[in-house]
Amino acid sequence: MDKIKRLKELTEQLNQYRDFYYNNSKSLVSDKQYDDLFDELQSLEKETGIIMSNSPTKTVGYEVKSKLEKIKHSHLMLSLDKTKSVDELREFAGNKNCLLSLKMDGLTVLLTYENGELIQAETRGNGEEGEIITHNAKVFDNIPLHIGYLGHLEIEGEAIITYKDFEDINTKLSENEKYKNPRNLVSGSVRQLDSNIAAQRHIKFIAWKVPKIEDYIKSDNSFLFRLQFVKKLGFDIVPFYTYTNISSDSENLDEMIESLKRQAKEKEYPIDGLVMVYDDIAYGESLGMTGHHPKHSLAYKFYDDIYPTELLNVEFTMGKTEILTPTAIFKPVEIDGTSVERASLHNISIMQELGISHKGQIVNVYKANQIIPQIDSVEPDNIKITDENIIIPIEICPICGADTKIIKENNRKVIICTNPDCKGKLLGKLTHFVSKNAINIDGLSEQTLQKFIELGWLNSFQDIYHLSEYKDEMSKLEGFGKRSVEKLLDAIEKSRNITLDRFICAISIPKIGKNNAKIMANKFGNFDNFKKWMYYFSDNNMDDIELSNYEYLIDWTTINGFDEKIHRAITRFISENANTLYSLLDEFIFEESNNTNGEMLNNKIFVITGSLTHYKNRNELISIIESLGGRVSGSVSTKTSFLINNDTESNSSKNRKAKELGVSIISEEDFIKMIS
């Protein structure tokens, strides 16, 4: 009776552990403890002849492993060399036929079939040796267990979880239990001992390579042929395009890339780039390999690589608003050829969502758009939090010593200084005001502005234009001479000639940067309309000015890209600062901006394709179109006004579509003439 009682206790206990493990993503016991209890239950079931209907040793349709066995691969499964340059993709292709396909972001798996049966599945591991996960592969959503080919067949591909399934899993979990991304979830799911867990995750296998195939098609040398062959056997294969460096393909490479991205989005596939591979397998293999990667393929990374490093501290600095921004300080890490040791955390909400809480944490760093350092995630650890290593939002402003407080702004927690006269707020605004994209006063560095604030010479934007009153005192300061003072004052005088868009950018309206400032300036059309609008919000008598039926209460949401938040930010800022800003206008002589053409492209929709010669990149051209009231779309439709393509006679898909729909195809030069 004691053995039967123990058997029932073990059945209930192990089912509880399993339920907590795959429904709550937590282990109540170690793998070894679980395995020992499981072995004990199996022994008791064999000895007593009793197996409960819910016994974890007999879960119908699933298999439980005591451990994952190691296996040496039949061939090396190395990482790929990578690039972030489309031109390097063209150079890689040379005069060879290639395939350009999605680079799936999951767990690489190798399947082996013998006589039509799936006999083995293994993970990539370190490239030479992986783990056998056949029991889990058999419960993937889309793997054929039996195929109509009796020879030896090996297929490489990616085990993935689509974004839809990922979100479905996460919605059932609390905030603290949610998974960071599909890649982490599928990796953990595939390497479980219990295939019941993998079965619940809707894992899919996407084939992208056939390294070994036997007998009658063994001599076939085409990468494409082999992929299409396994597709006929029932496998899902990676979306791809064939590519050669002939003129039409080369011109359409950008289109191919965008199309593959769209396909990934439509299928909700997680990807981290694209892969170009030579179709001629023998040629690709003849190129050999390095210790890291083969030379037959090249990965094109349009997402950013992540680098782990140790968090040292979090500093709080003040920008042009009252908000104190947290900045992560970490051990220097080399990214894209430069050493990085700081990254903005933006606000308290993001800091908390990332789980940043103590020094010594391992943070994963990347460069957004290959430029701006960002924290992607934080690795879990067992470091005990103490008074010495804890990181909490500061309670005292580091600039003026006043109390801080946490408030909600646009549903995000931010920390602000409660002192309305905090010099840090003024320094941030002045630094932005004199910057290159704004008023552009050469010689007024942040350090110089800080010094002038401390001396009491600067308390507002307008004070900059009266610094000549301190000319003699200035020339006696350390680092200043008579010549440098004259040079600075000349630069200040020169800055009085300004365009409206630069002035709007300079005054620190929340959510209004360089491009949005241009859009606002175009909305006003000229300085007089802007001045009347500003006057409307000030305390002056409106009867003193000719109204000219101008619409003062502008609805900014009617402009493409301006939402309700931006509308409120503009209106609130001008309402609170109208008197000061209206007075500031007297310091300037406003010039006509080269970009101020009202809304000359209003309601016009553009599509851009092919390479550019007059503009640095597409973003620059898009910015100009939007600043003039136009919009940019990714595909040609009946709503498209113009297709911009320097090769107006090319036979690309977008050109053909434009001709079918009667959409005008124009070159960059045509566009420049249009807006001149």
Side-chain angles (χ1 to χ4, degrees), residues 502-651:
R502 293 173 74 90
F503 179 84
I504 293 173
C505 176
I507 58 179
S508 296
I509 303 174
K511 303 183 183 298
I512 301 300
K514 180 181 176 182
N515 289 335
N516 278 352
K518 287 180 180 179
I519 294 172
M520 285 184 67
N522 289 331
K523 177 68 175 176
F524 290 112
N526 56 56
F527 168 67
D528 288 338
N529 284 334
F530 175 75
K531 188 174 183 180
K532 293 171 185 177
W533 179 73
M534 189 75 71
Y535 192 89
Y536 175 85
F537 284 98
S538 71
D539 293 337
N540 297 291
N541 188 335
M542 288 180 57
D543 293 336
D544 291 344
I545 195 165
E546 176 64 40
L547 296 184
S548 303
N549 296 318
Y550 189 75
E551 182 61 56
Y552 293 98
L553 294 177
I554 297 172
D555 182 1
W556 295 101
T557 62
T558 60
I559 295 178
N560 182 45
F562 279 51
D563 57 16
E564 184 63 33
K565 292 178 182 178
I566 294 179
H567 173 83
R568 287 198 302 267
I570 295 171
T571 305
R572 179 180 176 183
F573 177 84
I574 297 300
S575 297
E576 294 175 351
N577 298 278
N579 291 335
T580 302
L581 293 174
Y582 191 79
S583 177
L584 178 64
L585 296 178
D586 293 335
E587 303 292 348
F588 294 93
I589 300 170
F590 284 85
E591 303 171 343
E592 187 70 21
S593 169
N594 292 332
N595 293 320
T596 303
N597 293 307
E599 295 183 6
M600 63 182 302
L601 300 182
N602 192 32
N603 297 322
K604 289 183 172 60
I605 299 175
F606 292 80
V607 174
I608 306 167
T609 189
S611 58
L612 301 174
T613 56
H614 292 279
Y615 296 99
K616 287 185 291 187
N617 50 47
R618 289 194 183 187
N619 286 338
E620 183 183 21
L621 177 52
I622 290 170
S623 175
I624 289 173
I625 291 171
E626 291 180 343
S627 72
L628 298 174
R631 290 197 298 118
V632 177
S633 174
S635 58
V636 178
S637 70
T638 54
K639 296 180 180 179
T640 305
S641 307
F642 297 96
L643 171 64
I644 299 177
N645 186 352
N646 281 326
D647 188 354
T648 57
E649 300 302 320
S650 81
N651 197 34

Side-chain angles (χ1 to χ4, degrees), residues 56 69 138 197 205 288 345 362 367 384 414 578 625 637:
E69 298 177 36
K138 287 181 177 180
I197 298 170
F205 177 82
L345 297 171
I362 300 301
K367 276 189 177 180
K384 184 179 180 181
V414 297
I625 291 171
S637 70

Side-chain angles (χ1 to χ4, degrees), residues 409-536:
E409 184 178 84
N410 298 323
N411 294 320
R412 309 299 282 177
K413 294 179 185 176
V414 297
I415 186 168
I416 64 169
C417 172
T418 58
N419 177 12
D421 299 317
C422 177
K423 298 296 183 183
K425 300 175 184 180
L426 177 62
L427 177 62
K429 290 179 180 179
L430 290 178
T431 302
H432 173 72
F433 184 81
V434 303
S435 64
K436 188 174 182 180
N437 287 333
I439 302 301
N440 191 19
I441 302 178
D442 189 27
L444 272 181
S445 65
E446 184 174 337
Q447 293 76 11
T448 300
L449 290 169
Q450 177 72 57
K451 186 178 294 185
F452 290 175
I453 290 171
E454 291 170 355
L455 290 169
W457 298 351
L458 292 178
N459 293 289
S460 68
F461 296 145
Q462 199 162 6
D463 286 343
I464 290 174
Y465 293 93
H466 299 275
L467 280 173
S468 58
E469 298 173 10
Y470 307 99
K471 182 177 180 180
D472 293 339
E473 294 97 317
M474 200 182 299
S475 60
K476 297 174 184 176
L477 295 175
E478 183 179 352
F480 284 82
K482 184 177 180 181
R483 176 63 183 151
S484 61
V485 170
E486 289 177 354
K487 191 175 179 181
L488 172 59
L489 295 178
D490 285 345
I492 292 172
E493 287 303 308
K494 185 179 178 181
S495 74
R496 291 181 185 273
N497 294 285
I498 191 72
T499 57
L500 181 56
D501 59 306
R502 293 173 74 90
F503 179 84
I504 293 173
C505 176
I507 58 179
S508 296
I509 303 174
K511 303 183 183 298
I512 301 300
K514 180 181 176 182
N515 289 335
N516 278 352
K518 287 180 180 179
I519 294 172
M520 285 184 67
N522 289 331
K523 177 68 175 176
F524 290 112
N526 56 56
F527 168 67
D528 288 338
N529 284 334
F530 175 75
K531 188 174 183 180
K532 293 171 185 177
W533 179 73
M534 189 75 71
Y535 192 89
Y536 175 85

Side-chain angles (χ1 to χ4, degrees), residues 649-676:
E649 300 302 320
S650 81
N651 197 34
S652 68
S653 59
K654 286 184 179 175
N655 272 34
R656 292 198 303 270
K657 186 74 171 177
K659 289 173 183 176
E660 288 173 12
L661 299 176
V663 173
S664 298
I665 304 173
I666 63 173
S667 66
E668 276 180 277
E669 291 183 357
D670 295 330
F671 174 77
I672 291 168
K673 290 176 183 176
M674 179 189 297
I675 65 172
S676 295

